[in-house]
Amino acid sequence: MYTLLSGLYKYMFQKDEYCILILGLDNAGKTTFLEQTKTKFSKNYKGMSLSKITTTVGLNIGTIDVGKARLMFWDLGGQDELQSLWDKYYAESHGVIYVIDSTDEERLSESKNAFEKMISSEALEGVPLLVLANKQDVEGCLSVPEIKTAFKSICCPLLIISTRTCLVDIYMELCSQGVNEGIEWMVKCVVRNIHRPPRQKDIT
């Protein structure tokens, strides 16, 4: 009887919560992506002016509900000195969104190095990864094929060794295209990932 009531309570009053890290170099567009995600998926959230978003120093947190799943985003600062703190959050995360600035060719190798260091962590084994090529609407930006080629030496062996789910997608910052597709893809991945069970949170 207790098990039945417990299951009914969870169904009626609790959501499965998944923690999603948003990583990438500083000024890649991580906080903008988070703001537009909250605007699209939260009915009463008006959002801040995108022009007022500044470089993250520390951590931004955002939460959205998608069906029965609740996603809690941790948007971490991407400055070199803050990247050393990323791994403190790996063990508790259910998914990672890695944002690349398509307009910053000079720092592409730096972004690749940060990405490679991130995915080498055993604490992220089996965690779904979404790679977003941001600012694709800016003239002269790196194309998605060019970014895929630059990251191919990392992503392909990774898929074979750890069978991690990986998607390289386009995200256009100014037009906010790609937000829905990326979030819906991530939800499907974290929900079906039996290796990282969700946290139970009361519905508020």
Side-chain angles (χ1 to χ4, degrees):
M1 185 65 175
Y2 170 78
T3 302
L4 177 61
L5 291 175
S6 176
L8 181 61
Y9 175 82
K10 289 182 179 180
Y11 178 79
M12 296 293 294
F13 302 108
Q14 289 190 327
K15 279 186 177 289
D16 291 337
E17 183 178 80
Y18 302 89
C19 300
I20 310 299
L21 297 180
I22 304 178
L23 305 177
L25 300 186
D26 51 303
N27 298 315
K30 302 184 298 298
T31 303
T32 298
F33 174 79
L34 175 58
E35 280 299 307
Q36 294 194 335
T37 297
K38 290 190 293 184
T39 300
K40 281 180 171 289
F41 287 89
S42 301
K43 293 181 180 179
N44 298 321
Y45 185 75
K46 297 181 179 179
M48 69 169 68
S49 172
L50 300 184
S51 62
K52 295 182 178 180
I53 293 176
T54 58
T55 301
T56 299
V57 179
L59 169 69
N60 291 317
I61 296 177
T63 303
I64 65 169
D65 290 336
V66 184
K68 292 291 184 180
R70 172 166 291 174
L71 302 188
M72 173 175 282
F73 296 99
W74 294 335
D75 165 27
L76 304 181
Q79 298 94 321
D80 186 60
E81 62 272 16
L82 295 178
Q83 291 176 25
S84 61
L85 301 176
W86 288 1
D87 60 2
K88 310 299 181 186
Y89 297 85
Y90 291 167
E92 296 182 62
S93 67
H94 296 87
V96 175
I97 297 174
Y98 191 85
V99 184
I100 300 168
D101 184 348
S102 302
T103 67
D104 197 351
E105 186 173 2
E106 291 183 0
R107 299 185 71 193
L108 185 62
S109 61
E110 182 183 347
S111 182
K112 178 181 177 181
N113 291 337
F115 179 85
E116 187 170 19
K117 183 177 180 180
M118 174 195 71
I119 62 173
S120 67
S121 172
E122 293 182 359
L124 287 177
E125 181 68 27
V127 171
L129 168 65
L130 172 63
V131 180
L132 295 176
N134 193 13
K135 305 179 186 179
Q136 282 289 301
D137 56 336
V138 178
E139 185 177 355
C141 70
L142 291 166
S143 67
V144 171
E146 288 174 323
I147 293 175
K148 283 184 177 181
T149 298
F151 279 69
K152 185 177 180 180
S153 61
I154 303 174
C155 290
C156 288
L158 179 71
L159 286 172
I160 297 172
I161 296 171
S162 68
T163 64
R164 170 178 290 149
T165 304
C166 183
L167 172 68
V168 177
D169 203 358
I170 300 175
Y171 167 56
M172 299 178 65
E173 180 178 281
L174 298 181
C175 300
S176 69
Q177 295 180 11
V179 175
N180 286 23
E181 294 86 345
I183 295 301
E184 290 169 2
W185 179 88
M186 180 60 73
V187 170
K188 290 178 182 178
C189 289
V190 296
V191 167
R192 69 187 183 199
N193 187 0
I194 60 174
H195 303 293
R196 294 278 174 116
R199 306 189 303 189
Q200 294 293 326
K201 291 293 182 180
D202 290 339
I203 296 175
T204 55

